[in-house]
Amino acid sequence: MTRATTSQQLAEPSLLSLAGLPYFLIAFIARLPFAMMVVGVLTVVVSARGSLSLGGLTSAAVGLGTACFGPLLGAAADRFGQRTVLLALALANGAMLLLFTFVVYGTAPDGFVLLAAVGIGATAPQVAPLSRSRLVTIISDRMPEGRRAKTVSGTMAYESAADETVFVFGPFLVGILASAIAPWAPLVGAAVLTVVFVGAFALHPSGRHVSQDRDADGKAPSTVSELFRPQLLIVVVGILGVGIFFGTMLTSLTSFMADRGASEQAGLLYGVMGVGSAILALGVAWLPAAFSMRARWLVFSGILLAGTLLLGFVDTPGTMMVALAIMGIGIGPTLVTQYSFGAARSPRGRSATVMTMLGSGVVVGQSIGAAFAGEIAESVGTPAALLLPMVAAFIAFAAGVANWMLSGEKRRAAPVKP
């Protein structure tokens, strides 16, 4: 290697230097309210209204609001810029969290509680997908082309690991606040975090970074129909399967431990999968380029499916822990790969829309899976509920098979833009 080549590599900026360390700290904390909402809503409804069934429906209503409005908010961010949209959402979502707390403790009918929950989901700031979109835009605009693919892969790995960490720590924080103060405290805390840190995320200098994929007038050159290409829709289906897995696994695990008189330990066992998943997700960035993305989806979703098949044989917390550890090997890298495909296949100027579609797929799947698994566990029993994560993992694996056929040889390298 020549001295000139070495100097050139040293001069090339890293993503950390381009975005700045404060960006990553702010973006991490700004995700916490989103991770606290579903569990916080469930906690306060069960406490205030005394109904586990209503609590499950209310949590699903939050997911419904996200499903209906998340992609629209992403499209608005593509059209008007992230800063304007996020500032409005920070204030609106903080207000909705406080309004929901007021409604649930009041005398309003259950229908108003569900409506307020939809409002929480509808105004939820999509920090994680918008962060992915923002970073991918910086990479594609300000980094050398030869480094983009690897940097995008590493970025998706970090972002997925951050999501995993937040979605493990978020419910833990809800439990601490609810136990130490009151059941309403997690939602008030989430409201404060939303206004402060989502506002800071919106105002960060990277928020005004405009992709060169846009036309001079700021409009996205691609049409909406580009979002419905089979190559992109199959990624949405696959990530929906992952979301359903998260919801069904946590709920059926809670039922499994409740049958053994230790429901409070479900979170600890779930953490075995979460920690392993986060570590393996970070490791995706170091996988060789010869291990193509479409192959990674098949291999790691196959490991996830194999781990879920063991659920038919678990009979002790120890054997459950083994199954969860195997699932953790598969789930993190699968999620990273799906987000990487989403980044690679985003139509020009539509990256925020695509990332919010994928983020909404995880949340919607999680909400639907949790509600359905809870109903099955209560009415049929834990063994039946434990079948549902298998179904979810099969959806993710089948989508990987379809993606293999849709990808073709030319997509092995997975460039930043198709």
Side-chain angles (χ1 to χ4, degrees):
M1 182 179 295
T2 64
R3 181 178 300 178
T5 302
T6 304
S7 300
Q8 181 182 3
Q9 288 181 341
L10 292 174
E12 290 176 351
S14 66
L15 182 60
L16 179 62
S17 64
L18 289 173
L21 180 60
Y23 169 85
F24 290 96
L25 297 176
I26 292 170
F28 182 84
I29 300 175
R31 298 167 202 252
L32 268 176
F34 197 77
M36 295 168 64
M37 287 175 191
V38 174
V39 179
V41 162
L42 175 63
T43 301
V44 75
V45 169
V46 172
S47 173
R49 298 277 169 142
S51 172
L52 183 59
S53 176
L54 178 62
L57 286 174
T58 308
S59 297
V62 175
L64 177 64
T66 302
C68 294
F69 291 91
L72 296 178
L73 298 177
D78 277 329
R79 178 64 181 88
F80 302 108
Q82 289 193 17
R83 176 166 292 181
T84 301
V85 174
L86 281 169
L87 284 175
L89 289 176
L91 296 175
N93 191 243
M96 285 305 306
L97 287 165
L98 296 178
L99 176 63
F100 179 86
T101 305
F102 176 78
V103 169
V104 78
Y105 278 104
T107 58
D110 292 346
F112 284 96
V113 176
L114 293 173
L115 186 61
V118 172
I120 290 176
T123 58
Q126 305 284 314
V127 173
L130 290 181
S131 176
R132 287 179 170 91
S133 172
R134 194 180 292 191
L135 293 176
V136 168
T137 299
I138 292 174
I139 292 168
S140 61
D141 286 358
R142 300 172 63 183
M143 293 192 73
E145 185 173 356
R147 294 177 55 200
R148 291 177 189 172
K150 187 173 181 61
T151 305
V152 166
S153 179
T155 300
M156 294 302 116
Y158 162 76
E159 289 283 318
S160 295
D163 286 346
E164 294 272 359
T165 304
V166 164
F167 274 97
V168 170
F169 185 68
F172 177 71
L173 184 59
V174 168
I176 291 177
L177 292 175
S179 301
I181 303 177
W184 51 260
L187 293 186
V188 174
V192 173
L193 288 174
T194 296
V195 173
V196 175
F197 285 96
V198 174
F201 179 72
L203 293 173
H204 189 272
S206 62
R208 61 173 182 263
H209 184 74
V210 179
S211 171
Q212 294 174 357
D213 289 334
R214 294 174 180 268
D215 291 333
D217 60 358
K219 294 182 179 179
S222 63
T223 62
V224 175
S225 62
E226 288 292 304
L227 296 172
F228 297 94
R229 290 180 298 151
Q231 289 86 353
L232 185 55
L233 289 179
I234 199 62
V235 181
V236 176
V237 172
I239 211 163
L240 179 66
V242 170
I244 295 173
F245 167 78
F246 283 137
T248 55
M249 189 64 249
L250 179 57
T251 305
S252 59
L253 175 62
T254 303
S255 179
F256 177 84
M257 295 304 295
D259 291 346
R260 287 150 182 79
S263 59
E264 71 280 359
Q265 296 181 16
L268 295 176
L269 283 181
Y270 192 72
V272 171
M273 183 186 75
V275 172
S277 176
I279 294 173
L280 268 295
L282 286 172
V284 170
W286 284 273
L287 291 175
F291 189 7
S292 67
M293 289 209 305
R294 63 177 189 161
R296 294 176 195 176
W297 188 341
L298 276 182
V299 169
F300 289 112
S301 63
I303 294 173
L304 173 64
L305 180 58
T308 61
L309 294 178
L310 295 178
L311 294 175
F313 306 96
V314 297
D315 53 3
T316 65
T319 54
M320 175 63 80
M321 189 179 299
V322 171
L324 289 169
I326 294 173
M327 292 180 228
I329 295 173
I331 189 65
T334 298
L335 194 60
V336 170
T337 303
Q338 290 169 337
Y339 271 115
S340 296
F341 268 118
R345 295 174 180 176
S346 295
R348 293 173 61 86
R350 298 281 184 180
S351 62
T353 307
V354 170
M355 290 302 164
T356 48
M357 286 170 61
L358 299 182
S360 296
V362 175
V363 175
V364 172
Q366 187 177 26
S367 300
I368 294 175
F372 194 57
E375 183 65 28
I376 294 295
E378 188 171 334
S379 59
V380 183
T382 300
L386 287 172
L387 296 175
L388 299 178
M390 303 180 198
V391 175
F394 179 77
I395 292 173
F397 179 76
V401 173
N403 178 73
W404 178 278
M405 295 184 289
L406 288 170
S407 297
E409 292 295 324
K410 65 179 181 179
R411 290 191 179 270
R412 282 184 180 271
V416 173
K417 292 292 176 185

